[in-house]
Amino acid sequence: MNDILTYDFMQRALVAAIVTGLTAPAIGTYLVQRRLALLGDGIGHIALTGVAAGLLTGTQPLVTAVVVSILGAVAIELLRTYGRTSGDVALALLFYGGIAGGVLLVNLAGGSAAQLNSYLFGSILSVSPSDLVIVAVLGAVVLLLSVGLSPQLFAVCQDEEHARVSGVPVQAYGILIAVLAAVTVTVSMRTVGLLLVSALMVVPVAAAQQLTRSFRGTFVLAMGIGTFAALAGVLGSYEIDTQPGPTIVIVALGIFLALAPVGHLVRSTRRRLSSTNDPVEEAA
Amino acid sequence: MTRSASTRSASARSTGADPLVVDDVHVALGGREVVRGVSLAVHPSEFVVLLGSNGSGKTTLMRAAMGVIPIAAGQVRLFGTPLRRFRDRQRIGYVPQRSTAAAGVPSTVREVVMSGRLSRRPHAGRSSRDDRSAVAEAIALVDLEDYATQPAAELSGGQQQRVMLARGLASRPDLLVLDEPTAGVDARSQVALAELFGRLLGEGRAIFMVAHELGPFEPMIDRAVVLRSGKVSYDGPCTGGDLAAASEPHNQHHPHLVEPGPHVGIDGTGAWGA
């Protein structure tokens, strides 16, 4: 166990895992609160086109993926706000266009199935030193904004209408959330992969909610669970020779399954206690 | 109980711009004109109720006046400033109609009420001591101190409505705007709400409320405006036959609700129902 930590690629993979484990659930908490849990999934699909564009043009795929997924995320947010016809269908067009276009372009660029696979499900061997710098910088920006602007982001996700009347620039913050989600997707691309990144945005939040009662508590615990799952997943994938993405997600789901009955028990006990203390029930 | 509407408006009305002036406003929803040329005003420390049946356009008018949905024609002025240029958002306490305070992630009553302070701090930064004391004060006003750290979604419907009210009060507004705050709220809580309104009006704040029925508020209401098919069909005092004629089913008098019991109060004496 100790000797694998001395490998350079493993050290880079673990740092990337920590960044992913912190950022994905942080932005994921806002997405879940806004009932946009699957937004990350859609952005992941679109990001693949960005990766392919990088491979085709000989640019670093991480950079093109960031650019394309930010454009896609802003388009999704605008479609959501102004979409006259079914926003659902418009989103589906964008998502499937993204993944089909991405695979097509990777094929045209002469990319192998293994290479494509590494983008879709992560690959611990593939985090280059220059990747790591980009991941760390972008991850720090996401964390800084999602913590620093949490009162505003919370208000917008909790009740858009009230936030608007309070003078909060709702649309700007909506776009910011989408952009942060897009950046997080690309930051997580090497670790969990584009197809599973959304799971790391949602599953730790769902697991944390089993125990927490406040937004802040959920936010912090989800980041803790996400970091643990990402680290355990990366190390586990090396030990049992699997891809990191699925391994991380299975660890996160395992935590959720372990916490769900505990949360159920805690909630029902609490309800029983509060109903004996306060026998007056809602009449209306 | 509280002073009646007439004595209050004579004594406590302050000078200054009207909190809300709606001038010949038209609002269209999905291409259909729902509000068709409405004019009304809420003067300082006045309690105005907007009545009307379902589909009369009252909620649409209120949302348009708050800038939530666009106005097709006409003008809204908040404290003398056109809506578009109005920045003193903390002067307005907005309480939208809401069956639930729940979102996808649990949030405590205190967290939800804290977002009512954002109009005073629209940009980044931690909450100040003043923010925290205003939130505690607002939670106390609706008598939810015991629930401050509980998830809002786990409270009853009436309690969640009070969370929304506390959020609206957190910025210490000069104008409180509410959409059917009594919907699904039991009689005891309605009386407690009326007590609270009486206190706010006594402090010189104005209230603009969309309502379905007047209930225990009736004695303190200065004016009722009745909408019918997007137009004002009545604007005047809320007693007398004119209002009855204009809004038939919605002015039911509830004499048993007007007189609160001897222990009714808003300072933790259990005035609010569940």
Side-chain angles (χ1 to χ4, degrees):
Chain A
M1 185 72 183
N2 275 334
D3 50 315
I4 67 165
L5 297 178
T6 61
Y7 296 133
D8 284 350
F9 76 87
M10 198 49 157
Q11 290 171 354
R12 289 197 296 270
L14 288 174
V15 173
I18 291 172
V19 175
T20 306
L22 289 173
T23 52
I27 196 69
T29 310
Y30 296 113
L31 296 181
V32 171
Q33 195 198 17
R34 223 174 172 208
R35 302 199 182 281
L36 286 176
L38 293 178
L39 181 70
D41 204 34
I43 296 174
H45 285 50
I46 296 167
L48 189 64
T49 296
V51 168
L55 293 175
L56 257 182
T57 57
T59 323
Q60 201 175 6
L62 192 57
V63 175
T64 47
V66 170
V67 173
V68 171
S69 52
I70 286 178
L71 291 176
V74 172
I76 291 172
E77 184 61 22
L78 294 179
L79 271 175
R80 239 174 50 80
T81 318
Y82 298 111
R84 292 234 155 178
T85 49
S86 169
D88 248 16
V89 174
L91 293 183
L93 295 176
L94 210 53
F95 293 0
Y96 302 121
I99 196 154
V103 174
L104 197 78
L105 290 178
V106 170
N107 290 345
L108 288 178
S112 63
Q115 194 179 15
L116 182 62
N117 206 14
S118 81
Y119 286 107
L120 292 179
F121 299 107
S123 160
I124 44 174
L125 292 170
S126 65
V127 187
S128 70
S130 64
D131 278 349
L132 192 62
V133 172
I134 299 177
V135 163
V137 169
L138 292 178
V141 170
V142 170
L143 276 182
L144 202 70
L145 291 176
S146 55
V147 173
L149 292 174
S150 69
Q152 285 74 20
L153 299 177
F154 171 80
V156 168
C157 296
Q158 172 80 18
D159 187 341
E160 226 175 277
E161 185 168 323
H162 180 267
R164 196 180 297 270
V165 174
S166 302
V168 177
V170 169
Q171 171 143 39
Y173 281 113
I175 289 176
L176 178 66
I177 291 171
V179 167
L180 291 179
V183 172
T184 305
V185 164
T186 41
V187 160
S188 314
M189 179 169 82
R190 291 306 202 181
T191 323
V192 255
L194 293 174
L195 282 192
L196 288 174
V197 58
S198 191
L200 201 59
M201 290 182 168
V202 176
V203 178
V205 180
Q209 301 192 8
Q210 301 304 315
L211 301 183
T212 56
R213 320 192 74 200
S214 67
F215 185 83
R216 183 182 293 208
T218 309
F219 188 82
V220 171
L221 185 57
M223 284 164 73
I225 292 172
T227 307
F228 177 83
L231 285 174
V234 165
L235 290 171
S237 76
Y238 179 82
E239 293 292 328
I240 60 174
D241 196 18
T242 51
Q243 280 192 283
T247 321
I248 291 169
V249 172
I250 291 296
V251 172
L253 280 170
I255 296 171
F256 173 80
L257 289 177
L259 293 183
V262 179
H264 183 76
L265 201 72
V266 169
R267 276 193 302 273
S268 59
T269 311
R270 232 179 241 148
R271 211 167 297 137
R272 212 170 322 118
L273 285 178
S274 73
S275 63
T276 49
N277 289 345
D278 182 14
V280 186
E281 281 298 309
E282 173 79 342
Chain B
M1 211 177 143
T2 42
R3 285 171 297 166
S4 76
S6 51
T7 57
R8 187 191 62 249
S9 31
S11 63
R13 181 168 300 166
S14 54
T15 51
D18 286 338
L20 175 66
V21 175
V22 173
D23 185 16
D24 194 23
V25 161
H26 296 251
V27 186
L29 287 183
R32 198 172 63 89
E33 196 168 57
V34 178
V35 174
R36 304 183 296 159
V38 170
S39 299
L40 62 86
V42 179
H43 307 298
S45 77
E46 200 176 42
F47 187 0
V48 176
V49 174
L50 187 60
L51 298 167
S53 55
N54 289 332
S56 60
K58 55 190 193 308
T59 294
T60 303
L61 172 64
M62 194 205 68
R63 297 178 76 216
M66 292 296 104
V68 177
I69 49 177
I71 292 168
Q75 202 191 34
V76 172
R77 285 179 166 271
L78 293 164
F79 298 96
T81 308
L83 175 62
R84 217 171 347 98
R85 291 193 279 118
F86 182 70
R87 294 289 172 272
D88 288 340
R89 292 287 176 169
Q90 74 280 358
R91 297 189 74 180
I92 296 180
Y94 179 56
V95 186
Q97 191 180 18
R98 213 9 122 75
S99 53
T100 167
V105 174
S107 359
T108 63
V109 169
R110 189 175 287 143
E111 285 175 326
V112 174
V113 175
M114 185 56 93
S115 59
R117 292 294 293 175
L118 276 185
S119 49
R120 288 194 178 268
R121 47 178 197 126
H123 300 296
R126 300 176 63 83
S127 59
S128 67
R129 188 181 303 163
D130 192 39
D131 289 327
R132 289 189 293 275
S133 69
V135 166
E137 181 189 300
I139 291 173
L141 278 175
V142 300
D143 200 21
L144 283 178
E145 294 107 313
D146 293 346
Y147 299 88
T149 58
Q150 289 206 17
E154 284 180 18
L155 305 184
S156 72
Q159 287 169 331
Q160 290 190 20
Q161 188 67 52
R162 277 147 60 192
V163 174
M164 303 283 107
L165 178 61
R167 185 181 62 180
L169 292 169
S171 66
R172 301 193 175 111
D174 295 319
L175 170 67
L176 194 59
V177 177
L178 312 99
D179 192 359
E180 303 214 14
T182 55
V185 172
D186 60 38
R188 198 155 62 104
S189 296
Q190 290 196 27
V191 172
L193 188 62
E195 288 271 314
L196 173 59
F197 281 11
R199 191 157 134 187
L200 296 172
L201 291 165
E203 290 168 6
R205 312 198 212 194
I207 299 177
F208 181 51
M209 177 171 92
V210 169
H212 224 69
E213 53 182 6
L214 301 179
F217 303 103
E218 188 167 332
M220 58 180 76
I221 294 171
D222 293 283
R223 242 159 0 91
V225 176
V226 181
L227 283 195
R228 182 181 276 177
S229 311
K231 290 185 170 177
V232 174
S233 67
Y234 176 85
D235 185 342
C238 74
T239 45
D242 293 345
L243 174 63
S247 68
E248 324 90 348
H250 304 304
N251 67 331
Q252 300 134 349
H253 192 67
H254 295 289
H256 60 288
L257 295 183
V258 177
E259 285 303 318
H263 294 297
V264 167
I266 41 177
D267 38 17
T269 50
W272 301 84

